[in-house]
């Protein structure tokens, strides 16, 4: 996707939020109609994960996926340009357990919901937190620079490329930086273990367990939900059973718990990704 000029994004971000969200509904509906290859990916993912749904239900959710994706994309106009005051009004942070005030090595498990950048931005506004994350470098240098600038705008944050390796990340964690990690994607069978995701074997990077082990850190889920008023960013209680000594079991646990959050808002998950692209040996592609 091409990046719109910064000035245009700022102009869009200045629109009242209901107007911007309405524009997102239009853009999402158009994308659903004109991008058939990505539409097939979404529908295939939904058929695999929700076989009990009828086809009308899957298509309804698929259309909503495109709308939520478009709305979240357009929200970057204010997310990466608005004042801290506006951001704090629209990004409602919930931390009932006071986790963010605790000084302890931490991996923040942030699943791929459309609000992932909103969650990161809201946490970055907590100025006492030192955050780092790992991102996949974009093929277009202009897109890459735009994304990095937006994500690094606030707070004490650092962005590492996946190519930078594990050692730099673990060193930063041991120096007190919290890792905002998004491990629920298919990065290829070589880097992954096959564990069930909605009952389907899915190549899943075991980085959540491994980084928690290496950084001697707890795992704290952060779930972000797009709402009419902006986003709700929920900091959930730390897990008391991850990491364990079994990396594969930890990764399977991650997928099971992720399913519960997806079930609550299936249209906000990143179904446009080919989550099942890598298959166990001998299994055919599911996207042909």
């Amino acid at each position: 996707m091409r990046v719109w000029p910064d000035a245009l994004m700022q102009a869009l971000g200045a629109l009242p939020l209901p107007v911007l969200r309405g524009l997102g509904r239009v853009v999402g509906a158009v994308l659903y109609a004109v991008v058939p290859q990505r539409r097939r990916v979404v529908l295939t993912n939904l058929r695999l994960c929700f076989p009990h749904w009828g086809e009308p239900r899957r298509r309804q959710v698929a259309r909503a996926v495109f709308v939520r994706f478009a709305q979240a994309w357009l929200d970057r106009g204010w997310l990466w340009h608005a004042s801290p005051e506006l951001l704090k009004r629209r990004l409602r942070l919930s931390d009932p357990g006071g986790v963010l005030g605790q000084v302890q090595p931490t991996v923040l498990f942030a699943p791929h919901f459309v609000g992932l950048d909103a969650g990161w931005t809201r946490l970055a506004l907590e100025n006492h937190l030192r955050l780092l994350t790992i991102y996949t470098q974009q093929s277009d240098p202009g897109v890459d620079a735009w994304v990095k600038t937006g994500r690094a705008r606030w707070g004490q944050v650092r962005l590492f490329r996946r190519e930078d390796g594990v050692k730099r990340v673990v060193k930063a964690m041991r120096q007190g930086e919290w890792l905002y990690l998004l491990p629920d994607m298919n990065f290829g069978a070589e880097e992954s273990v096959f564990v069930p995701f909605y009952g389907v074997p899915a190549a899943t990077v075991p980085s959540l367990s491994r980084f928690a082990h290496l950084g001697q850190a707890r795992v704290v889920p952060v779930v972000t939900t797009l709402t009419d008023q902006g986003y709700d960013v929920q900091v959930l209680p730390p897990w008391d059973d991850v990491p364990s000594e079994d990396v594969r079991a930890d990764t399977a646990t991650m997928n099971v718990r992720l399913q519960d959050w997806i079930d609550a808002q299936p249209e906000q998950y990143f179904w446009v990704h080919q989550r099942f692209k890598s298959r166990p040996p001998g299994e055919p592609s599911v996207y042909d």
Side-chain angles (χ1 to χ4, degrees):
M1 183 178 290
R2 295 177 60 187
V3 172
W4 297 312
D6 221 34
L8 177 57
M9 291 301 293
Q10 289 188 55
L12 288 170
L15 293 172
L17 189 56
V19 174
L20 192 63
R21 290 289 171 75
L23 179 59
R25 283 193 291 272
V26 173
V27 173
V30 171
L31 290 174
Y32 179 82
V34 303
V35 189
Q37 183 177 4
R38 196 55 55 180
R39 184 175 67 240
R40 284 195 296 272
V41 169
V42 173
L43 287 169
T44 299
N45 286 335
L46 294 178
R47 289 186 188 109
L48 289 169
C49 294
F50 302 98
H52 55 287
W53 286 0
E55 192 63 16
R57 168 68 169 152
R58 282 192 286 266
R59 291 190 176 276
Q60 178 189 34
V61 171
R63 285 190 291 269
V65 166
F66 278 84
V67 168
R68 290 307 197 189
F69 179 87
Q71 288 175 330
W73 182 264
L74 292 174
D75 279 348
R76 285 166 175 82
W78 58 267
L79 192 63
W80 290 348
H81 295 285
S83 67
E85 293 75 21
L86 177 64
L87 291 173
K88 287 185 178 181
R89 286 199 302 272
R90 291 184 178 177
L91 305 176
R92 296 182 296 186
L93 179 63
S94 172
D95 178 23
V99 172
L100 299 182
Q102 299 167 3
V103 181
Q104 187 173 341
T106 300
V107 178
L108 298 165
F109 170 36
H112 272 84
F113 291 105
V114 296
L116 62 92
D117 272 310
W120 165 263
T121 297
R122 185 60 187 86
L123 292 174
L125 289 169
E126 298 296 296
N127 291 323
H128 69 284
L129 293 180
R130 296 163 57 208
L131 301 174
L132 72 147
T133 193
I134 304 167
Y135 78 102
T136 301
Q137 189 169 7
Q138 305 295 312
S139 57
D140 184 310
V143 175
D144 192 62
W146 178 68
V147 171
K148 285 194 295 185
T149 299
R151 290 176 177 171
R153 185 178 178 216
W154 300 112
Q156 304 181 72
V157 303
R158 286 203 289 171
L159 280 67
F160 290 93
R161 301 175 305 165
R162 294 181 65 237
E163 293 80 8
D164 290 334
V166 171
K167 289 183 178 179
R168 292 184 62 192
V169 174
V170 173
K171 180 180 179 181
M173 291 176 63
R174 290 177 176 174
Q175 292 173 344
E177 297 180 44
W178 288 16
L179 173 60
Y180 189 84
L181 188 66
L182 302 92
D184 55 320
M185 294 193 83
N186 186 334
F187 289 117
E190 297 80 11
E191 302 182 36
S192 305
V193 294
F194 281 98
V195 292
F197 181 56
Y198 281 98
V200 182
T204 308
V205 287
S207 56
L208 184 71
S209 178
R210 287 177 176 166
F211 275 121
H213 266 295
L214 293 170
Q216 299 178 338
R218 61 183 176 174
V219 173
V220 174
V222 177
V223 177
T224 302
T225 303
L226 186 152
T227 69
D228 290 341
Q229 294 76 36
Y231 293 85
D232 287 340
V233 183
Q234 295 180 287
V235 180
L236 301 177
W239 289 349
D240 58 8
D241 55 351
V242 175
S244 71
E245 297 303 316
D246 189 332
V247 172
R248 179 182 291 272
D250 288 350
T251 307
T253 296
M254 179 191 81
N255 278 358
V256 169
R257 293 176 182 170
L258 172 57
Q259 290 171 203
D260 290 337
W261 303 325
I262 294 172
D263 288 345
Q265 50 183 21
E267 75 285 354
Q268 297 203 27
Y269 194 60
F270 207 70
W271 297 114
V272 295
H273 170 62
Q274 293 187 7
R275 186 64 185 86
F276 303 103
K277 182 177 180 179
S278 299
R279 306 308 310 135
E283 286 197 13
S285 170
V286 299
Y287 297 111
D288 291 341

